[in-house]
Amino acid sequence: MGNCCDRAGNFFGPQKNTNVRVSLPAVCFVWQIAMIVLFGVFIRYDEESDAHWVVHKRDHNITSDIENDFYFRYPSFQDVHVMIFVGFGFLMTFLKRYSFGGVGFNFLIAAFGLQWALLMQGWFHSLDHTTGKINIGVESLINADFCCAGSLIAYGALLGKVSPVQLMIVTLFGITLFAVEEYIILDLLHCRDAGGSMVIHAFGGYYGLAISWVLYRPNLHQSKRLNGSVYHSDMFAMIGTLFLWMFWPSFNSAITDHGDGQHRAAINTYLALASSVLTTVAISSMSQKRGKLDMVHIQNATLAGGVAMGTAAEFMITPYGSLIVGFCCGIISTFGYLFITPFLEKYFKLQDTCGVHNLHALPGMLGGFIGAIVAAAADESVYSKEGLINVFDFEGDFANRSPGTQGGFQAAGTCVSIAFGLVGGAIVGFILKFPIWGDPADDNCYDDEVYWEVPEDEETIPPVLEYNNHMIHKHQEISESNFSVEQS
Amino acid sequence: MGNCCDRAGNFFGPQKNTNVRVSLPAVCFVWQIAMIVLFGVFIRYDEESDAHWVVHKRDHNITSDIENDFYFRYPSFQDVHVMIFVGFGFLMTFLKRYSFGGVGFNFLIAAFGLQWALLMQGWFHSLDHTTGKINIGVESLINADFCCAGSLIAYGALLGKVSPVQLMIVTLFGITLFAVEEYIILDLLHCRDAGGSMVIHAFGGYYGLAISWVLYRPNLHQSKRLNGSVYHSDMFAMIGTLFLWMFWPSFNSAITDHGDGQHRAAINTYLALASSVLTTVAISSMSQKRGKLDMVHIQNATLAGGVAMGTAAEFMITPYGSLIVGFCCGIISTFGYLFITPFLEKYFKLQDTCGVHNLHALPGMLGGFIGAIVAAAADESVYSKEGLINVFDFEGDFANRSPGTQGGFQAAGTCVSIAFGLVGGAIVGFILKFPIWGDPADDNCYDDEVYWEVPEDEETIPPVLEYNNHMIHKHQEISESNFSVEQS
Amino acid sequence: MGNCCDRAGNFFGPQKNTNVRVSLPAVCFVWQIAMIVLFGVFIRYDEESDAHWVVHKRDHNITSDIENDFYFRYPSFQDVHVMIFVGFGFLMTFLKRYSFGGVGFNFLIAAFGLQWALLMQGWFHSLDHTTGKINIGVESLINADFCCAGSLIAYGALLGKVSPVQLMIVTLFGITLFAVEEYIILDLLHCRDAGGSMVIHAFGGYYGLAISWVLYRPNLHQSKRLNGSVYHSDMFAMIGTLFLWMFWPSFNSAITDHGDGQHRAAINTYLALASSVLTTVAISSMSQKRGKLDMVHIQNATLAGGVAMGTAAEFMITPYGSLIVGFCCGIISTFGYLFITPFLEKYFKLQDTCGVHNLHALPGMLGGFIGAIVAAAADESVYSKEGLINVFDFEGDFANRSPGTQGGFQAAGTCVSIAFGLVGGAIVGFILKFPIWGDPADDNCYDDEVYWEVPEDEETIPPVLEYNNHMIHKHQEISESNFSVEQS
């Protein structure tokens, strides 16, 4: 009771104003209204989701409704949707007192981001130049969810240290940068990146790290008491981990080619993830006294195989190739949590709450280069002539590109995504330094009480405690003590 | 420890007997046996799930097994199934000490309800008059799940205040009323209501509210200590919220037309939901001191866009139309939690535990009228001639109905659903007032201990407490105090 | 604080060394490397996931990519995947202090098991004798997940009493035995067992029980304080229960015949599960003072209907037949928790943490016999001539088998699975008795602190407690007491 107010009282040092009562609603309203206007001008149904489909079907001799792209992609879309909202959301609930912020702001970011992504990606990739409209279907929804993933990854580096208004800024710029780098990588460089090792993970990871680096808080140790998990918050985070882990095959296969493309991407991702789990457990156990496992590793590094397969999953990397990728990335990611994150914090002044460097940035970068190598090694004996064309889309302007050249472009694409992340993140970081966004004070990070009405939990006081309490008061009377009571 | 018994002792005032040891098993057995008998008489596989499918395929020149309706609808069915059991179930776990009842009774209601729904909906909609049998397939399962949703919504208004036996009564009548109003609205009035704004949400919401109004408890404040959340119970509720939110596109598209119908319904619902999130956050933040967000709003009002798109999702409402619907309903629903629920409680004697008025009744009603407007505005230029016929099913007896007329019938359908909810709920409420159903006393609501064996949680006492406890006993000895110990 | 270390200090009695810092990483690395080597030698993509699919399609006149098996089975695969990792994983989090172990070791077992299963099942079922390769596709992934389920069920009987190294041994042998008994039952005896009542549940259940019987701990009561749930751990377990319950129709239909086979299996399972819920509630309520429900029953026995339909789901068991199966198995399973488990523990020295006897072994065995009866009763009037051949695969060597004979073989198959479970489990149990695997001491079971870095939960101490604590210290000073403080 009084306690809550006391703690709240601490929030508002002279320099920090965390009141977002004007700014947060203003941003939400302005941006949502802008979305409505822009959707009104630009967004229409594509031919498979428009009521004219019945005519389109007849004109194109499509014999069955099952040929609608909806049936090829909707199950994968829903899996991706779960990853974005439950996967990323619950993975970020591990902090003992920032679970509301973890899952709630994730929800806000993604709900705004997917709208802006439909527009940005539409303008760059699917604008119909005849009508000036963007025609959307289920594949657009998947791509919009993917686009949000970049900003959600960035949130992982910032978790607990920024205000929801800042997160809306991060998302606005994150989606914008994403659409541009994606256009450069996929359209201009003609890279393949179905599961987004480059465009999602490497970009999102370095974007978040660059922002976090600019926003470095030298006195963050003042919030150290809250920068950790409790037993049940670790369990909530495992919900996020498992839904990410289970549905990653859908993530990497959601927008690959119909038929063998989706099929193979799912198999490769499934295998890489399985392999990651074993090496994560091995390294985690080796690193601790008595071989005890650390939940941070299990919650995160087990996913590294999925990140690293984002580019190569649709290629003929072979099942054992997938296992090797998972094997290595489980090790590297766990090492990252053990050594690289503390190192970066100490020597590079980089505070990375969720360790996105180890889960997204580094494995994403590796995934980009793995993709480059596998692409460069492709040949017709493995893919068949037509298969090679299908998988790498060697058609039109790119009909004469060789696998070796493709490998070079894939590697270049990876560098582009990292550059966009670092430069874009640095700029956005400086924007976020303006003292108007309502971010928390250093002694007030990782605390839901700053932005949420938090229930008071009085009922968790076990009965025996009330008994103690009663006894104490009795004692007080008896001993007639007069020391001053400092209620913490 | 003794404490549990002490609290249990309080449960049983002179007037209330919450012992359901005879009534609950009796109801479960009688109804389950009745289901078996009725299924034996009436329910058979339909032609797509019967082993004769191989013959049927040949007779109808169906070239591929993928044409079986199973492949069009099963992924959506599973998403709906998750919404019913995890979505509704976990959304109702937010109370600090009624999580078992929230998720457990939800489970019981739905498991009984879906069986009874297969029969009731079968008799009204798909009875084969030649054989006298109801032939079921995957679409029947989806409809049965939908039918349960009505009763689960009603449970939201009653949460914590009724016994499981009463809930079985609520479900029995709820399913029955649902099937009748659905028959009137969909078959007689020939309305379209794929996602059930009218038949599910408006009906279910008003049904629950009417029951709750009849069962008004003037002394419910005696349970006020338990009518709230704790930190972790709010997190469990977010699991429910997110699974509802993510899978709502499947809910609204599960039984729409194959092809563009399912595709468009999913897109529209996805957009409306995204828009709801932003306006919910905006209003929630505006309403609180220092702009803090309220978990109740985030858990509920973010879903209002999905409810309100239940009727119009399959229409050509346009993407920006969907955003506008979500925009408005997020605002209205959050306002409902802030002002309407307290108002209804104070002036209408209406106790609505989960605020189903704001999440289901009101957005459902709005959704019905939005559907009416969008239907009335339909024309061939937007839908194409054949598309218009497909979407509104202007065939057979209804071949000459105009969109304008259809709009009128849609509006009439909304009124029918509300009337059924209110009148049916009032009658069921009076049935539930009989003092034989084992409902809890006023000071005993929202408490799992009434109907569940609750673990004692002794282990949550932190070690330091045991130390205190030990110290206290020592002190007791030392000071030889003789005051009476009242264990709370 | 110091407390953690004190408790840790208790873990290491003279006779038990739970340090797995060498053994666990060694096992993980050795086995993962072995998997990579064996995959390199044996595992390739099948024709539907290989880039040659475009050629294969043309050669076989396949007109649409939607004919790829991926689209028939991938949605079911993902549901099964959720059951394995979230379903089984969270169901085992019910213990108050073994939730990390429940969900984490489940993750480890399944991630290793599915790789080994792809190899073992490949060698027995799908080795291409021309090339010496195993060609995998989405159906292989489902089968690998199924295979893991056997070992995860066994883990249920051992939960809290074994080390992760022992679990890797259990899994290695469990997968191996599974593949052999599956080969005998499905290939040699030509049984049908789509959802694995026999090969998964009866085998896995008896395998785990036999291991547990060999590993009997007479002094397990020393860990009694931790062998129970707390409020929130029961809620986490309900996540597991519900995802198992909801997706069981996918489990039983995932590898049945395309078309009516998958469709019918889903319907039958859906109905059996619904029926189980009502009888579980009935028996649970009857068995307790005042009719209170027991979470253990709701979490487990509600699933018995799905287990028991594992064999018969694809048969024409009729909808009411499914309800009857669920009705009986809900009763039997709940009775099992009430009477059989305590009986087995007392008189057979069998400690079964999760009660897998009641949820898997017994309903699995019943499911096998139910399948035998339904198979024996099959005739052409119900299935059609072709339907009968399709469902029971009466082709090739088995073209002349009658339904009656098939029933006999189904019953024999059930006995084979039980025999494999009991004998295999006994042997594995003896292997696990070697004192080198790092299993916990009797007073140290059900405790995550043995194998996990557990967060200290200091923040759960409510503020008032710190106040007490402060007061105590003051008192201490005042009364200058000198009694020795034993921090518990």
Side-chain angles (χ1 to χ4, degrees), chain A residues 53-188:
Chain A
W53 161 253
V54 59
V55 180
H56 176 86
K57 254 197 317 182
R58 200 179 44 224
D59 293 348
H60 291 74
N61 287 319
I62 295 166
T63 53
S64 168
D65 280 321
I66 199 92
E67 295 288 331
N68 194 304
D69 198 36
F70 183 79
Y71 301 104
F72 286 91
R73 304 212 185 272
Y74 189 72
S76 303
F77 160 66
Q78 275 296 4
D79 294 348
V80 171
H81 218 39
V82 172
M83 292 175 71
I84 298 296
F85 289 88
V86 164
F88 282 106
F90 272 87
L91 188 57
M92 290 195 273
T93 62
F94 72 99
L95 290 171
K96 63 184 82 165
R97 280 280 141 178
Y98 207 72
S99 302
F100 287 9
V103 73
F105 294 151
N106 182 87
F107 195 15
L108 176 63
I109 291 171
F112 164 66
L114 61 88
Q115 299 177 58
W116 183 226
L118 283 171
L119 284 161
M120 284 300 302
Q121 293 187 313
W123 285 321
F124 276 105
H125 296 281
S126 58
L127 192 66
D128 180 330
H129 292 287
T130 325
T131 61
K133 304 298 181 196
I134 298 159
N135 298 318
I136 61 169
V138 65
E139 192 169 340
S140 319
L141 306 191
I142 297 171
N143 274 312
D145 272 20
F146 279 2
C147 200
C148 295
S151 297
L152 296 177
I153 290 165
Y155 179 33
L158 307 172
L159 187 72
K161 301 176 295 182
V162 291
S163 76
V165 180
Q166 288 179 307
L167 288 171
M168 293 295 274
I169 308 285
V170 167
T171 311
L172 182 74
F173 286 97
I175 300 286
T176 310
L177 289 162
F178 183 101
V180 176
E181 57 110 26
E182 188 192 34
Y183 176 70
I184 294 170
I185 294 169
L186 302 191
D187 290 40
L188 302 186

Side-chain angles (χ1 to χ4, degrees), chain A residues 281-294, chain C residues 18-25 105 164-165 449-453:
Chain A
V281 168
I283 303 294
S284 182
S285 176
M286 278 171 69
S287 70
Q288 301 282 339
K289 201 176 45 144
R290 310 197 53 79
K292 293 187 185 190
L293 299 171
D294 188 326
Chain C
T18 61
N19 190 333
V20 292
R21 193 173 180 179
V22 172
S23 55
L24 182 57
F105 294 150
V165 180
E449 299 227 28
V450 185
Y451 304 112
W452 296 86
E453 294 285 326

Side-chain angles (χ1 to χ4, degrees), chain A residues 375 378-380 383-394 403, chain C residues 51:
Chain A
D379 67 35
E380 292 188 4
Y383 286 78
S384 81
K385 189 173 161 58
E386 289 160 272
L388 195 65
I389 293 169
N390 275 358
V391 169
F392 294 100
D393 222 0
F394 288 153

Side-chain angles (χ1 to χ4, degrees), chain B residues 266-316:
Chain B
I267 292 172
N268 288 332
T269 310
Y270 171 90
L271 292 173
L273 286 162
S275 183
S276 280
V277 175
L278 271 87
T279 52
T280 298
V281 167
I283 302 294
S284 183
S285 176
M286 278 172 69
S287 70
Q288 301 281 341
K289 201 175 44 138
R290 310 197 54 78
K292 293 186 184 190
L293 299 171
D294 188 326
M295 259 293 171
V296 172
H297 306 155
I298 306 300
Q299 284 160 3
N300 292 280
T302 51
L303 301 165
V307 173
M309 288 301 285
T311 302
E314 62 177 326
F315 303 157
M316 293 287 287

